[in-house]
């Protein structure tokens, strides 16, 4: 009888696939058949643009972090499901599979191309994991269990509650969701000391395409490897990660120094790339390169932003020995606690801002934006740096962020996780442009700037293939339609290099029907003969 009911539901749904209300009604009927919860309880977790439109809109927009994907023409989900238990996630997966709809999984909504809440498929739903934000910190064994919907700021605060000398190597933006950040590799200011976020994952829980809840032991090492950097959305629904905490000192030092082209910014950035690969692992320096106006003329400026695991005396001595050209003085340095360093990197006043702000899930300002990425493996000459600053001034808006590598990143094998960009990379580039106005002409202008600058940087960055970072999601480099291996290979090799083939094999083994898919997911081997490669960029 149950199979007959599901078959009827599927038939009904398939013949009214464009009608959100039909999708909503189908889920209302299907979920109770797959869950121990009552139909009444389950109905409170489902939002529809027809049945409860105001609540639907509020839930949809709550975790949209890029306003480019929040307009009337943006594809909207037929329903949003907001589970609170593992069994509800299982039910949502099984029903979506039986009803033939694509499922998009959202944790924090920071994915730069909005693919966790939009879709190129005509019919899709959102499984929003924001209720899975439990964090259990155990200082005795230096671990934390982090729900997929928890935000990084919440994780940092919960660690701080228990210990002032423990931290975790993850991103600097507190409102990023843990599920997406960790599954895409993750990194932060502890990169050179402790490596990537996924280098500290010791267990995970996931719902697979069969609706099974699996931990590391039951899923096996291949799938566990894949979801630690290969993007969880290709393989299942991440429920939580168990991570190992790292020691941090009581005294940390930060600084922020700005230098314009007239103050030899190109020469300083050139020297930075020579110094950072082998300098003390306790030091991380990011550089923001951006166009500025000085005396009514456009020029370029470099902002050196640092986090040092130690006091200012040791940092100044280290810089004087290795990078005296920057001219760092003790008065430029600020000694802070680890939690204060988190606030500093989020551009907050760490002296006046209480750490409790990290618990505010909507503390960020949502803007329109675009990101791209690259890796640099050969030092860019001074002449090239000068040309880059000139190009930034010419374009007038877009900026570059240089993230220093080296340190322990040179010691971890490229295949230890799906993230391959380890030894041999001097730094990673993020292309970054934000704007506040919804004007379509501005969007066209700034998106074009990102393409122009990315093309301009071609001589200076990695090649064959040109590298890219999954968590700086960029659909310009390729999109997969259906299950085309050829299309997936284009961006797959850029994100994963030599690890791509292993990811394809894992995907084929655990999700042969390609149920878990998105515009840049991992294809299956079955898709190897379907579709043609669509290279949209060099």
């Amino acid at each position: 009888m149950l199979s007959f009911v599901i078959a009827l539901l599927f038939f009904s749904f398939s013949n009214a696939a464009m009608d959100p209300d039909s999708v909503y009604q189908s889920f209302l009927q299907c979920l109770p058949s797959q869950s121990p919860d009552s139909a009444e309880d389950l109905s409170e977790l489902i939002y529809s643009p027809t049945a409860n439109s105001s609540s639907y809109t509020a839930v949809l927009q709550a975790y949209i972090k890029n306003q480019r994907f929040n307009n009337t023409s943006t594809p909207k989900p037929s329903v949003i499901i907001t589970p609170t238990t593992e069994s509800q996630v299982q039910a949502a997966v099984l029903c979506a599979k039986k009803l033939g709809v694509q499922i998009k999984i959202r944790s924090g909504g920071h994915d730069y191309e909005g693919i966790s809440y939009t879709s190129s498929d005509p019919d899709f739903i959102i499984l929003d994991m924001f209720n899975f934000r439990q964090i259990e910190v155990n200082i005795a064994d230096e671990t934390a269990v982090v729900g997929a919907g928890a935000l990084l700021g919440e994780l940092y605060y919960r660690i701080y509650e228990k210990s002032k000398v423990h931290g975790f190597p993850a991103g600097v933006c507190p409102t990023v969701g843990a599920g997406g950040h960790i599954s895409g590799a993750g990194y932060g200011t502890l990169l050179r000391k402790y490596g990537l976020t996924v280098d500290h994952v010791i267990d995970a829980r996931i719902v697979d395409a069969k609706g099974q809840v699996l931990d590391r032991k039951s899923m096996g090492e291949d799938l566990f490897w894949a979801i630690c950097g290969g993007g969880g959305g290709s393989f299942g629904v991440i429920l939580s990660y168990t991570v190992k905490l790292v020691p941090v000192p009581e005294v940390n030092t930060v600084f922020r120094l700005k230098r314009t082209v007239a103050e030899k910014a190109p020469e300083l950035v050139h020297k930075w790339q020579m110094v950072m690969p082998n300098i003390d692992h306790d030091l991380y320096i990011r550089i923001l390169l951006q166009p500025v106006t000085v005396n009514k003329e456009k020029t370029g400026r470099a902002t050196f932003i640092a986090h040092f695991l130690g006091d200012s005396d040791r940092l100044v001595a280290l810089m004087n020995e290795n990078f005296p050209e920057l001219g760092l003085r003790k008065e430029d340095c600020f000694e802070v606690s680890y939690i204060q360093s988190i606030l500093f990197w989020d551009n907050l006043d760490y002296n006046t801002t209480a750490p409790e702000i990290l618990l505010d899930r909507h503390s960020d300002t949502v803007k329109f934006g675009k990101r791209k990425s690259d890796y640099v493996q050969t030092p860019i000459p001074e002449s090239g740096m000068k040309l880059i600053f000139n190009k930034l001034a010419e374009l007038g808006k877009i900026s570059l962020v240089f993230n220093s590598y080296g340190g322990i990143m040179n010691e971890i094998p490229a295949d230890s996780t799906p993230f391959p960009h380890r030894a041999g990379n001097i730094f990673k580039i993020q292309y970054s442009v934000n704007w506040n106005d919804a004007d379509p002409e501005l969007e066209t202008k700034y998106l074009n700037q990102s393409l122009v600058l990315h093309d301009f940087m071609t001589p200076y960055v990695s090649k064959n293939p040109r590298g890219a970072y999954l968590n700086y999601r960029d659909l310009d480099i390729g999109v997969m339609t259906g299950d085309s291996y050829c299309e997936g290979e284009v961006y797959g090799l850029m994100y994963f290099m030599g690890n791509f083939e292993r990811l394809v094999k894992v995907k084929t083994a655990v999700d042969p029907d390609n149920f878990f898919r998105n515009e840049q997911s991992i294809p299956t081997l079955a898709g190897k003969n379907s579709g043609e490669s669509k290279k949209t960029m060099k």
Side-chain angles (χ1 to χ4, degrees):
M1 177 62 72
L2 178 60
S3 299
F4 177 71
V5 171
I6 296 298
L8 284 178
L9 288 173
F10 179 75
F11 178 81
S12 171
F13 174 79
S14 299
N15 283 273
M18 299 304 291
D19 178 12
D21 189 59
S22 175
V23 181
Y24 175 67
Q25 295 298 330
S26 296
F27 271 96
L28 281 179
Q29 297 174 60
C30 179
L31 287 174
S33 71
Q34 302 293 335
S35 170
D37 300 302
S38 69
E40 183 179 359
D41 289 341
L42 290 166
S43 68
E44 295 179 358
L45 308 175
I46 312 174
Y47 298 87
S48 161
T50 55
N52 45 10
S53 59
S54 60
S55 297
Y56 166 92
T57 301
V59 172
L60 175 63
Q61 294 185 351
Y63 292 98
I64 290 179
K65 300 296 184 179
N66 190 343
Q67 291 298 327
R68 284 173 55 208
F69 308 108
N70 189 25
N71 55 53
T72 54
S73 63
T74 303
K76 305 296 192 300
S78 298
V79 299
I80 304 170
I81 302 177
T82 59
T84 60
T85 66
E86 291 185 351
S87 64
Q88 291 167 358
V89 175
Q90 292 174 278
V93 168
L94 291 171
C95 287
K97 195 171 186 180
K98 290 177 178 178
L99 300 174
V101 294
Q102 183 188 29
I103 191 168
K104 288 298 188 87
I105 309 156
R106 183 165 73 172
S107 57
H110 268 274
D111 52 320
Y112 287 130
E113 298 282 21
I115 67 170
S116 66
Y117 50 87
T118 67
S119 180
S120 54
D121 277 28
D123 306 298
F124 71 101
I125 69 166
I126 292 176
L127 188 63
D128 203 317
M129 299 296 289
F130 66 81
N131 286 318
F132 279 71
R133 54 179 182 262
Q134 301 85 353
I135 299 171
E136 299 174 12
V137 176
N138 187 331
I139 294 301
D141 65 5
E142 299 182 307
T143 64
V145 179
V146 188
L151 304 187
L152 297 185
E154 294 173 314
L155 173 58
Y156 296 142
Y157 185 83
R158 296 307 174 199
I159 296 171
Y160 159 78
E161 274 187 320
K162 299 285 185 70
S163 170
K164 305 304 181 283
V165 290
H166 285 84
F168 188 64
V172 301
C173 181
T175 57
V176 167
H181 184 73
I182 300 174
S183 69
Y187 81 100
T189 66
L190 304 184
L191 173 76
R192 300 186 67 259
K193 179 72 171 184
Y194 294 117
L196 302 174
T197 307
V198 285
D199 295 331
H200 302 270
V201 176
I202 57 175
D203 206 342
R205 291 179 69 80
I206 183 175
V207 173
D208 71 0
K210 297 177 182 178
Q212 305 172 112
V213 176
L214 306 173
D215 61 8
R216 180 174 184 172
K217 183 178 180 180
S218 56
M219 77 176 76
E221 288 302 303
D222 282 342
L223 179 53
F224 179 72
W225 174 86
I227 62 172
C228 290
S234 291
F235 304 97
V237 182
I238 304 297
L239 300 170
S240 67
Y241 283 104
T242 302
V243 300
K244 196 76 175 173
L245 307 182
V246 301
V248 293
E250 290 185 12
V251 177
N252 298 253
T253 304
V254 296
F255 70 74
R256 187 181 282 115
L257 289 179
K258 297 179 180 181
R259 300 287 187 265
T260 64
V261 168
E263 296 168 313
K264 299 189 178 302
E267 293 86 346
L268 291 171
V269 177
H270 174 261
K271 180 63 183 289
W272 165 88
Q273 66 182 338
M274 315 297 279
V275 169
M276 290 308 299
N278 300 307
I279 203 168
D280 193 308
H281 296 193
D282 288 340
L283 178 62
Y284 175 86
I285 302 179
R286 165 183 284 182
I287 308 180
L288 169 62
L289 283 65
Q290 61 191 141
V292 294
T293 300
V294 177
N295 296 326
K296 298 182 180 181
E297 289 190 6
K298 278 284 186 183
T299 185
R301 183 177 71 194
T303 304
F304 295 79
I305 315 166
H307 183 186
F308 181 64
L309 298 169
D311 61 38
S312 58
D313 287 337
R314 187 159 74 92
L315 174 58
V316 172
L318 182 68
M319 291 294 286
N320 285 341
E321 178 184 352
N322 294 275
F323 197 3
E325 294 87 350
L326 188 59
L328 181 69
R329 304 165 300 169
K330 187 175 174 64
E331 51 263 43
D332 298 319
C333 301
F334 304 97
E335 292 186 344
V336 295
S337 65
Y338 178 70
I339 200 70
Q340 286 178 317
S341 78
I342 301 292
L343 301 175
F344 171 87
W345 276 87
D346 194 36
N347 297 310
L348 298 170
D349 186 337
Y350 59 84
N351 283 315
T352 61
T353 306
E356 283 72 18
I357 195 173
L358 299 174
L359 300 176
D360 183 349
R361 294 175 67 87
H362 300 285
S363 60
D364 53 338
T365 301
V366 179
K367 300 178 180 179
F368 301 83
K370 172 67 181 179
R371 301 292 187 271
K372 300 177 79 66
S373 60
D374 262 316
Y375 288 89
V376 173
Q377 299 173 333
T378 303
I380 301 174
E382 274 191 27
S383 59
M385 287 295 183
K386 291 176 180 177
L387 291 173
I388 291 169
F389 275 96
N390 290 342
K391 192 66 177 179
L392 289 171
E394 174 194 321
L395 293 172
K397 179 67 173 178
I398 192 168
S399 60
L400 296 173
V401 182
F402 290 179
N403 296 285
S404 55
Y405 266 46
I408 198 173
M409 290 294 282
N410 286 337
E411 303 169 18
I412 302 173
D415 61 357
S416 64
T417 71
F419 178 95
H421 312 288
R422 306 274 191 169
N425 291 284
I426 303 172
F427 61 96
K428 171 165 57 187
I429 300 176
Q430 182 190 70
Y431 300 73
S432 176
V433 59
N434 294 329
W435 63 98
N436 297 319
D437 196 322
D439 184 350
E441 291 186 7
L442 276 184
E443 178 172 326
T444 300
K445 175 182 177 180
Y446 294 141
L447 293 181
N448 183 64
Q449 282 192 18
S450 73
L451 293 171
V452 170
L453 186 57
H454 189 262
D455 186 60
F456 177 83
M457 293 296 291
T458 302
Y460 307 117
V461 300
S462 61
K463 299 171 179 62
N464 302 316
R466 185 172 184 166
Y469 176 41
L470 180 65
N471 274 354
Y472 292 166
R473 184 79 70 177
D474 179 12
L475 296 185
D476 294 338
I477 65 175
V479 174
M480 182 168 65
T481 54
D483 185 23
S484 169
Y485 176 94
C486 291
E487 291 175 344
E489 186 181 37
V490 176
Y491 56 80
L493 290 177
M494 296 178 74
Y495 288 139
F496 306 113
M497 303 284 176
N499 296 326
F500 174 67
E501 289 295 335
R502 183 178 174 187
L503 287 169
V504 172
K505 290 176 182 176
V506 176
K507 168 71 172 181
T508 304
V510 303
D511 185 18
D513 298 326
N514 195 32
F515 172 67
F516 290 108
R517 65 189 185 277
N518 58 55
E519 287 72 13
Q520 284 192 340
S521 56
I522 303 297
T524 68
L525 287 171
K528 204 156 190 174
N529 298 317
S530 64
E532 294 295 325
S533 178
K534 296 181 180 180
K535 296 184 179 181
T536 58
M537 293 192 64
K538 293 181 181 178

